[in-house]
Amino acid sequence: MKLDDSRRSDNVEDDRGSGGGIRGVHLGVVGTLIVLVVGYFMGVSPSTLLSLLNGDNQAVTAPTPATPVTGASNDPQVDFLRAVLGETEDVWGAYFQNLGKTYVPPKLVLFTSSVGSACGLASSAAGPFYCPGDQKVYIDLSFYRQLATQFGAPGDFARAYVIAHEVGHHVQNLLGITDKASQAEQRAGRVGANKVSILVELQADCFAGVWAEQANQARKILEPGDLEQGLQAASSVGDDTLQKREQGTVVPDSFTHGTSAQRVRWFRRGFESGKIDNCDTFGAGASL
């Protein structure tokens, strides 16, 4: 990726080395700490997590703010993330302006091992996640090593795809899609809720593709091979691929993020069209 001329975002906060990241989080059952995570690959959709946190037995207080990262960074990974986040801000800012809306960018929080958020306590084992409650994206940078070595998705654009997918969830939140999906999940049974979660995740993949196309049109940030890296990253985190790798069998009713083929198809669809109008996974329904 060519990001030398990209604007560096100041919406990055560093919570690494803060003693496990559990500051400010209280979950109400005495003697019991219920760890709730939003898994980038395997877990619970943001809307489902929020409904869990609204239960009678749990309460979450706002975590202590992390340290903003501004100015020049000596850490190449942090500098890269600031550049990618800046690109998402510029693309979605312009897109929302064309819609007559205001884009409020998310914060990107760096953490180590675990972190407290408005969505509860999350472990780095679950991967990067977006929390609608505080409008922040959280990532343990060790995930990128895992993405390259265990999931076979190395490269700059594979790393950028991860951030763009989570920012895609933020876009859904700002457009009111997250709330509607949450309501649909609450009305459905387990299998039905999983299907709604898949629609949410595939749309975030599509939004990531829209971002990549728009940023490349504006500033030519992509180099040969970058698109293939993004497609490989999308494929590597499909539910079927992950389940087969982890347990040797595939259970479609338990899918929450979509198959590898679906994730690749919707990311490519966003990239080829460059328009969120073509990311209506909910309207696509059974034809996903």
Side-chain angles (χ1 to χ4, degrees):
M1 295 184 70
K2 296 183 290 186
L3 298 172
D4 289 346
D5 296 330
S6 298
R7 181 182 62 82
R8 269 53 178 172
S9 172
D10 288 332
N11 289 311
V12 177
E13 300 177 348
D14 196 346
D15 200 34
R16 294 175 293 177
S18 64
I22 60 175
R23 301 166 299 162
V25 176
H26 171 68
L27 298 176
V29 179
V30 176
T32 302
L33 180 63
I34 301 175
V35 180
L36 299 174
V37 294
V38 182
Y40 178 64
F41 335 110
M42 0 242 228
V44 183
S45 70
S47 52
T48 299
L49 182 62
L50 286 178
S51 67
L52 289 172
L53 289 174
N54 286 331
D56 293 336
N57 293 330
Q58 300 166 31
V60 179
T61 59
T64 304
T67 303
V69 178
T70 58
S73 173
N74 295 324
D75 186 333
Q77 282 202 94
V78 175
D79 184 68
F80 173 82
L81 290 176
R82 291 183 64 202
V84 171
L85 193 63
E87 288 289 345
T88 66
E89 291 169 355
D90 291 347
V91 166
W92 290 117
Y95 212 104
F96 271 59
Q97 186 175 28
N98 289 336
L99 295 175
K101 301 177 181 291
T102 299
Y103 180 70
V104 180
K107 301 286 186 180
L108 175 62
V109 180
L110 312 179
F111 72 96
T112 304
S113 298
S114 62
V115 66
S117 75
C119 292
L121 177 64
S123 165
S124 60
F129 68 97
Y130 171 71
C131 176
D134 55 23
Q135 298 192 1
K136 293 183 178 183
V137 172
Y138 294 83
I139 185 170
D140 183 329
L141 294 181
S142 66
F143 170 77
Y144 281 138
R145 183 168 59 252
Q146 183 183 26
L147 184 67
T149 59
Q150 295 184 26
F151 297 96
D156 286 349
F157 194 65
R159 293 188 292 153
Y161 157 78
V162 172
I163 300 303
H165 173 92
E166 300 304 337
V167 171
H169 284 309
H170 179 65
V171 172
Q172 291 173 317
N173 193 28
L174 294 181
L175 294 176
I177 297 169
T178 303
D179 286 342
K180 291 180 180 178
S182 177
Q183 293 166 12
E185 286 186 349
Q186 291 171 18
R187 292 192 299 267
R190 181 185 66 83
V191 174
N194 285 349
K195 289 181 178 179
V196 174
S197 177
I198 290 171
L199 299 177
V200 171
E201 295 298 331
L202 294 180
Q203 187 177 64
D205 281 334
C206 189
F207 284 179
V210 170
W211 162 75
E213 195 278 337
Q214 291 284 323
N216 193 50
Q217 284 293 323
R219 286 170 289 282
K220 307 299 180 186
I221 66 171
L222 298 185
E223 298 179 294
D226 280 344
L227 178 59
E228 289 71 22
Q229 290 178 8
L231 294 172
Q232 176 58 34
S235 176
S236 71
V237 292
D239 284 320
D240 53 341
T241 299
L242 290 168
Q243 287 187 359
K244 190 171 183 179
R245 178 186 292 121
E246 295 298 324
Q247 59 196 36
T249 58
V250 174
V251 185
D253 282 350
S254 68
F255 289 176
T256 58
H257 286 61
T259 66
S260 292
Q262 287 173 328
R263 300 199 71 164
V264 167
R265 183 159 60 251
W266 281 95
F267 176 81
R268 186 187 292 276
R269 181 167 177 164
F271 183 82
E272 291 178 348
S273 69
K275 298 179 180 179
I276 63 173
D277 292 345
N278 291 332
C279 294
D280 184 10
T281 54
F282 297 90
S287 64
L288 290 175

